[in-house]
Amino acid sequence: MTVNLSRRGFLKSAAAAGAALYVGANAKGVLAASSSANAALNPFVKIGADGRAIALIKHVEFGQGPATGLTTLIAEELGVTMDQITYEFAPSDPQVYNNLFFGPFQGTGGSTAMANSWMQYRTAGAAAREMLISAAAKEWGVDAASLDIVDGIVTDGGNSASMGDFVAAAAEMDVPAEPRLRDASEWKLIGNDATRRLDSPIKVNGQAQFAMDVHLDNQMVVMIKRTPQKGGVVASFDDSAAKDVKGFIMAQAMPTKAGVAVYAENTWAAMQAREALEVEWDMSAAETRSSSEIRDEIMAALATEPTYNVNKADRAAVKATVDGAATVLEKTFYFPLLAHAPMEPLNCTIEQTAEGKIVLHDGAQMPTGPHMAYQQIYELPADKIEINSMLAGGSFGRRATPDADYQVEAGLAFIMTDRSRPVKLVWDREDDIRSGYYRPAVGHKVRVGLDESGTIVGWDHQVAGQSIMKGTAFEAMAVHDGIDHSTVEGIADSPYTIPGQSLGLTDTKKATSVLWWRSVGHTHTAYVMEVMMDLAAKAAGKDPVDFRLSYLTGGGEADRKAAVLKLAAEKAGWGNAPAGRTQGIAVHKSFGSYVAEVVEISGNNDDGIVIEKVTAAVDCGIAVNPDTVRAQIEGGIGYGIGHAMRDQITLDGGAVEQSNFPDYEPLRISDIKAIETHIIASAEAPTGIGEPGTPPSAPALANAIAALTDDSQLIAELPMAESGVYFV
């Protein structure tokens, strides 16, 4: 499959194909149709006279699967096979292609791609089917109710023809206000294990075009020499040595003074010239704290009364209950800064057309951000800005910043030229690790009281850390009563019914630019909740699974969480690990989905611990593409465990010490011997899958280690390697 990624290419191919049916939404967001690509609507599906269908995908594809998933929804409702449909990425238009969970904003994140598009894409496919059927029924003089589209053929058992034969007539018909969606009993593609990813072949054979692959005629490459400490600015620079580098063009201080842009004919020349550049920095307002100081500030915050009472509990009463309990468990946790470290470093390419339009070629996770920023930078209306969405090589949240950071860098670098040549901005791995955005550093202090029977009677929980949302464009939307929910999610909304629970929050000063990271706050809240539940179970002398189940009551969310917990335990052979092995379990709800994981390990801390197997159970509603669901759970497990094992970002005098994969090591395939995923059959609408596999993975590993070593101190601070845990 060859993917035409540009809006202009889409229009050009449509014109060449002749008659076509476009079904999408008009400017008011109402379902509409047309025979012309130039009509006042943005399509979700196009069907050509040749019977081929194209799904327009409004979400970026960086490996999580929406290109296949959303195409599957169109194909299912339309009545075509996956071989009869392809996909293209939708243009940047937040009025029509907005994320329905984000308001008037087009973007991918929070594991919402399938959840917010489920009905939208099915309805567009169903509307197209009914219009084609109506056109065929009119031509054949038969009842439309007797017709269907099967494998791209309109048929009533007697008459049959390619659906492409009816696109011209269908385009002149009214769009059904409420097209009939196919019943689950009719599905051939949704939930089918045999449905494979559409983007896999092109990624294997080299046809896939990632943002880094863009090479426009006469383009320049720009790399930026950035301040080594947040808050530093350029005082002056000397490019004398850079001028000796073959291919060097020029160097300019960025308008923000946060760095110097080095322009060259190619990436290697840009790298060499940047290295040769001498910059004098003004560090008077720069960050100077080291990691130990940041940790001390967070721990000090945990030792004082929290600023915010998240769940409005009577904290004094809860503390008194815990103090008077028969058994008191107390633990303090610390989670360091973490980098996203996607395999494709950040990059994008910007050009200006002969008509004065600004075009950005980018694996844009939130295209509305740079679209709005460019309107300000170039003082142009929205229709003069075009975002050409490309494939992206990973993100984990990094490509979606509140300030569109790297796209703005490219925009500013381009505006400093005469705009006669396209400019490609390239970050290298060191830029990404040293100058990026990070998962915040966070601390938790938990005191749990148990009565004589081992029942929880009080749970006093404090969180202190760096807010992601405060001080950003998303603060008004995401922060309420001073509380950034992304810091306490997974605790404040836990399905566990825990009596006498108080939850306090204190914000600490940001030392770096912090950002959502795969599963956001759940990365640390799940760890704390599940490690504490294990410790409480052991203190009560109860099985960890049975103990958890006793606090999952009341139906609804609790029942779904209990179901994945039971399934993971059953499939892992909970309690029956082979000799020399131990198991740890954790369960968590995030992004609407429920995941339980059992980690089985062997070895010891002297010779090294081996992760033998991870068994996962997931309830993500209807699994549109089960193969993708399993892949995302596997990836989430690896991402969570890999970082918990050995990764952290540390600061020395405000400067990041890590630089590349040798000192910020990604998970290796040999680190986990096997992963097995089981999907619970569900009739609920789809929920998130890109992130929910991550939260339970690290606490399940921690609980397995605690069972193996009987040393709970190993699990209090991450990464585990810094706490004395050695992995083979």
Side-chain angles (χ1 to χ4, degrees):
M1 177 185 68
T2 300
V3 180
N4 179 353
L5 296 169
S6 74
R7 172 69 167 172
R8 287 172 291 171
F10 173 67
L11 298 177
K12 182 178 178 181
S13 66
L21 170 64
Y22 301 85
V23 178
N26 61 22
K28 295 182 179 180
V30 178
L31 203 62
S34 174
S35 60
S36 170
N38 296 311
L41 79 147
N42 284 316
F44 292 107
V45 58
K46 170 212 167 183
I47 302 127
D50 59 358
R52 296 286 299 176
I54 299 174
L56 269 290
I57 308 302
K58 70 177 186 178
H59 292 284
V60 68
E61 174 64 79
F62 41 66
Q64 80 282 28
T68 300
L70 301 185
T71 302
T72 301
L73 302 183
I74 294 284
E76 187 72 84
E77 293 295 346
L78 184 57
V80 299
T81 68
M82 294 298 282
D83 293 330
Q84 295 171 321
I85 190 169
T86 187
Y87 68 88
E88 295 180 2
F89 294 115
S92 174
D93 187 341
Q95 299 305 312
V96 179
Y97 292 121
N98 63 307
N99 187 312
L100 301 180
F101 296 165
F102 293 176
F105 199 92
Q106 185 175 352
T108 305
S111 296
T112 60
M114 185 61 65
N116 91 95
S117 305
W118 166 246
M119 292 301 295
Q120 194 174 46
Y121 276 71
R122 289 183 66 198
T123 301
R129 181 189 77 241
E130 290 197 358
M131 294 171 73
L132 291 165
I133 284 175
S134 294
K138 183 176 180 180
E139 180 171 324
W140 293 338
V142 299
D143 183 1
S146 67
L147 298 176
D148 196 5
I149 300 178
V150 180
D151 297 342
I153 302 298
V154 185
T155 180
D156 65 354
N159 301 294
S160 64
S162 168
M163 66 181 186
D165 293 348
F166 305 104
V167 296
E172 303 302 319
M173 294 185 165
D174 292 334
V175 181
E178 296 183 6
R180 184 191 75 84
L181 300 179
R182 294 189 188 274
D183 185 76
S185 63
E186 303 174 69
W187 292 347
K188 298 179 180 179
L189 302 173
I190 295 174
N192 189 336
D193 259 317
T195 302
R196 291 293 181 259
R197 290 183 61 128
L198 295 175
D199 54 335
S200 291
I202 60 171
K203 289 177 177 176
V204 171
N205 65 25
Q207 287 182 312
Q209 293 294 298
F210 292 84
M212 190 67 87
D213 297 323
V214 172
H215 187 89
L216 303 180
D217 292 341
N218 199 33
Q219 76 177 20
M220 294 185 285
V221 172
V222 64
M223 299 186 77
I224 297 173
K225 188 149 191 170
R226 297 178 174 83
T227 171
Q229 295 157 243
K230 181 186 177 185
V233 294
V234 177
S236 63
F237 71 90
D238 180 359
D239 62 357
S240 300
K243 291 176 180 177
D244 294 332
V245 175
K246 183 179 179 181
F248 171 74
I249 298 172
M250 65 177 179
Q252 298 276 0
M254 294 292 286
T256 60
K257 301 297 184 182
V260 180
V262 178
Y263 301 78
E265 297 293 344
N266 54 63
T267 304
W268 179 244
M271 286 180 172
Q272 296 297 102
R274 184 178 65 167
E275 183 66 24
L277 196 70
E278 295 290 335
V279 180
E280 182 178 338
W281 300 98
D282 176 0
M283 294 297 189
S284 58
E287 176 59 64
T288 60
R289 289 176 296 167
S290 296
S291 293
S292 59
E293 295 172 87
I294 295 166
R295 182 187 181 282
D296 289 346
E297 289 178 12
I298 289 174
M299 293 302 169
L302 293 176
T304 62
E305 283 295 307
T307 305
Y308 303 105
N309 185 340
V310 178
N311 65 347
K312 311 302 181 187
D314 184 342
R315 188 159 183 264
V318 172
K319 290 175 67 175
T321 299
V322 173
D323 290 340
T327 302
V328 178
L329 304 172
E330 181 173 331
K331 201 158 196 65
T332 301
F333 299 82
Y334 183 71
F335 301 86
L337 295 163
L338 292 174
H340 299 77
M343 288 295 124
E344 180 191 16
L346 299 172
N347 69 96
C348 59
T349 304
I350 189 169
E351 63 174 323
Q352 182 170 297
T353 68
E355 299 77 26
K357 179 179 285 189
I358 298 296
V359 181
L360 175 70
H361 307 270
D362 181 30
Q365 188 170 349
M366 289 188 173
T368 301
H371 205 142
M372 294 172 65
Y374 285 3
Q375 289 175 243
Q376 297 179 41
I377 291 173
Y378 297 100
E379 298 182 342
L380 291 172
D383 62 358
K384 292 295 184 181
I385 309 294
E386 180 179 319
I387 311 289
N388 178 24
S389 293
M390 313 287 292
L391 291 169
S395 173
F396 314 115
R398 176 61 185 92
R399 296 180 187 274
T401 59
D403 54 2
D405 70 308
Y406 71 95
Q407 296 107 330
V408 168
E409 279 187 349
L412 294 175
F414 187 58
I415 207 169
M416 290 194 295
T417 72
D418 63 7
R419 307 191 210 176
S420 64
R421 300 180 65 179
V423 168
K424 181 175 185 175
L425 172 73
V426 176
W427 287 48
D428 60 18
R429 183 75 58 202
E430 286 76 9
D431 289 329
D432 187 43
I433 299 296
R434 288 178 171 161
S435 305
Y437 285 63
Y438 307 98
R439 196 281 304 273
V442 183
H444 291 244
K445 182 179 179 181
V446 186
R447 299 179 71 247
V448 177
L450 307 177
D451 66 14
E452 292 81 356
S453 66
T455 299
I456 296 174
V457 292
W459 185 298
D460 182 28
H461 199 140
Q462 284 184 258
V463 184
Q466 305 161 350
S467 168
I468 293 172
M469 300 295 185
K470 289 186 176 181
T472 74
F474 296 106
E475 181 169 356
M477 176 183 68
V479 177
H480 304 287
D481 297 326
I483 298 166
D484 183 345
H485 186 72
S486 70
T487 309
V488 293
E489 60 186 356
I491 309 170
D493 53 1
S494 171
Y496 285 127
T497 302
I498 298 176
Q501 185 178 34
S502 65
L503 175 58
L505 170 65
T506 301
D507 296 321
T508 59
K509 181 183 175 183
K510 302 177 186 182
T512 58
S513 298
V514 297
L515 188 65
W516 35 75
W517 186 91
R518 192 173 191 172
S519 77
V520 200
H522 298 283
T523 63
H524 51 90
T525 60
Y527 191 96
V528 174
M529 291 297 296
E530 289 305 294
V531 166
M532 290 306 300
M533 288 298 282
D534 235 48
L535 292 177
K538 291 175 183 176
K542 298 178 181 179
D543 176 80
V545 173
D546 293 338
F547 187 78
R548 286 172 169 82
L549 289 173
S550 68
Y551 294 95
L552 292 171
T553 59
E557 292 187 358
D559 284 352
R560 295 178 72 180
K561 191 174 182 182
V564 294
L565 180 63
K566 292 175 183 177
L567 182 60
E570 174 195 338
K571 295 297 184 181
W574 177 256
N576 296 296
R581 298 186 182 184
T582 60
Q583 296 173 320
I585 196 164
V587 59
H588 195 71
K589 177 202 174 186
S590 61
F591 307 96
S593 295
Y594 306 80
V595 180
E597 295 168 12
V598 175
V599 173
E600 187 169 294
I601 62 174
S602 64
N604 56 64
N605 211 42
D606 293 326
D607 300 324
I609 289 171
V610 177
I611 302 174
E612 299 286 351
K613 186 178 182 180
V614 181
T615 303
V618 54
D619 176 356
C620 59
I622 295 167
V624 175
N625 300 126
D627 185 59
T628 297
V629 170
R630 279 188 284 270
Q632 286 304 298
I633 292 295
E634 291 172 5
I637 288 170
Y639 197 74
I641 283 180
H643 281 84
M645 287 167 65
R646 48 182 170 249
D647 285 333
Q648 63 178 328
I649 290 292
T650 57
L651 304 181
D652 181 8
V656 173
E657 296 184 287
Q658 291 71 29
S659 63
N660 209 315
F661 288 152
D663 53 12
Y664 194 85
E665 188 177 353
L667 183 90
R668 301 185 183 278
I669 198 167
S670 59
D671 285 329
I672 303 175
K673 287 189 175 182
I675 299 177
E676 183 180 286
T677 301
H678 302 273
I679 304 171
I680 286 185
S682 175
E684 300 289 338
T687 47
I689 199 58
E691 298 170 271
T694 297
S697 59
L701 173 60
N703 291 336
I705 293 171
L708 179 69
T709 63
D710 197 29
D711 184 354
S712 60
Q713 294 304 310
L714 294 175
I715 57 179
E717 299 198 18
L718 296 183
M720 294 175 176
E722 293 294 312
S723 294
V725 183
Y726 169 61
F727 294 93
V728 176

